[in-house]
Amino acid sequence: RARRCRMPPPAAKTLQPTVIWAQRKDSVYLTVDVKDATDVQVRLEEGSLSFNARGGDAGSIAYSFDLEFFKPIQREKSKWSTKRCPEFCLRK
């Protein structure tokens, strides 16, 4: 379960993408609505996830979000893909 999501400061000129999530007993699944994302940067910690990428026409739009988890996840067993839309499978 996610605890809170922080947006970057307005001066950063980045947008917060739509994040769709689902949860199972052992996993949390996230899909980030940034199609054809480029320059993807992910920082996954036990208690948080930070995401930065570019998308839109020729990568002209910057996207960013920080997500703090309600409980720790297993970083080493979690994975993600950046094909089409970035997707995450986070193991609890």
Side-chain angles (χ1 to χ4, degrees):
R1 192 168 11 159
R3 218 162 70 186
R4 74 180 168 170
C5 191
R6 294 180 304 221
M7 286 184 57
K13 295 186 181 181
T14 60
L15 299 177
Q16 183 176 12
T18 300
V19 179
I20 301 165
W21 68 279
Q23 180 172 241
R24 302 250 184 225
K25 185 176 182 180
D26 64 342
S27 304
V28 175
Y29 301 93
L30 301 174
T31 300
V32 183
D33 190 14
V34 176
K35 291 175 181 51
D36 301 321
T38 60
D39 301 328
V40 177
Q41 297 175 350
V42 175
R43 191 176 75 233
L44 180 61
E45 304 292 336
E46 284 186 355
S48 65
L49 169 69
S50 293
F51 176 89
N52 294 289
R54 300 196 70 77
D57 295 331
S60 61
I61 303 170
Y63 293 93
S64 178
F65 72 89
D66 295 311
L67 184 66
E68 291 186 19
F69 304 124
F70 182 71
K71 291 187 177 180
I73 54 106
Q74 297 179 45
R75 182 177 172 223
E76 64 283 348
K77 292 184 179 179
S78 298
K79 57 187 176 180
W80 65 86
S81 168
T82 57
K83 295 178 183 174
R84 201 175 142 280
C85 287
E87 296 178 322
F88 297 84
C89 176
L90 309 174
R91 298 289 178 189
K92 294 181 184 179

